[in-house]
């Protein structure tokens, strides 16, 4: 098989994963898109390893060894990522990335939550009234 076939397939997989990361709003779909990108890299590593081993006399298979490390790292990443997404979904009730970004930035000027300065002023007034 020629090297162009797996290289083109890998490029298509990587572009599909990149589109998924940039366009999706669900955190689980973003994680799946990252896995798709890592699989494209793994395909490239194995394809170039086979191509280079045909040209070289000694077969070290370093591309396949690197692929195994990448698979192990991807498994750990997806395990930790899913645990974080499940914890956030239990606390917030959603896994929408835009809503999570809004909650991480804190309350805006039009939110219903009181400011910390106003809260301390109210507590100071109550303390003075009770004294």
């Amino acid at each position: 098989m020629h090297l162009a076939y797996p290289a083109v397939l890998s490029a298509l997989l990587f572009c599909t994963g990149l589109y998924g990361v940039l366009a999706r709003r669900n955190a689980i779909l973003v994680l799946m898109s990252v896995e798709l990108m890592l699989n494209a890299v793994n395909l490239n590593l194995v394809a170039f390893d086979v191509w280079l081993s045909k040209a070289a006399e000694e077969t070290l298979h370093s591309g396949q060894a690197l692929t195994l490390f990448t698979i192990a790292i991807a498994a750990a990443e997806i395990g930790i990522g899913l645990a974080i997404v499940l914890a956030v979904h239990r606390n917030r009730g959603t896994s929408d990335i835009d809503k999570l970004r809004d909650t991480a930035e804190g309350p805006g000027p039009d939110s219903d939550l009181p400011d910390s300065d106003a809260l301390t002023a109210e507590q100071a007034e109550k303390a003075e009234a009770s004294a």
Side-chain angles (χ1 to χ4, degrees):
M1 182 174 4
H2 199 269
L3 180 64
Y5 297 129
V8 168
L9 178 63
S10 175
L12 288 174
L13 282 175
F14 192 85
C15 289
T16 304
L18 186 64
Y19 173 74
V21 167
L22 296 176
R24 299 292 178 182
R25 297 294 177 227
N26 191 353
I28 294 177
L29 292 178
V30 170
L31 287 174
M32 288 174 59
S33 298
V34 168
E35 289 294 319
L36 194 62
M37 292 168 60
L38 286 172
N39 285 331
V41 170
N42 288 340
L43 180 63
N44 247 349
L45 283 171
V46 171
F48 277 99
D49 180 52
V50 169
W51 181 65
L52 289 174
S53 68
K54 289 180 182 178
E57 294 173 4
E58 48 191 56
T59 56
L60 191 58
H61 298 299
S62 58
Q64 293 177 12
L66 221 69
T67 299
L68 289 176
F69 284 119
T70 307
I71 289 171
I73 290 171
E77 174 258 336
I78 198 69
I80 292 171
L82 281 176
I84 291 171
V85 168
L86 285 175
V88 167
H89 183 70
R90 285 181 183 165
N91 288 336
R92 307 277 187 198
T94 184
S95 62
D96 189 10
I97 293 176
D98 288 337
K99 291 180 183 176
L100 295 178
R101 188 179 320 137
D102 292 341
T103 59
E105 293 172 356
D110 58 344
S111 68
D112 295 335
L113 297 175
D115 292 339
S116 61
D117 295 334
L119 187 63
T120 57
E122 290 175 9
Q123 289 176 350
E125 289 176 10
K126 286 181 183 178
E128 288 176 10
S130 66

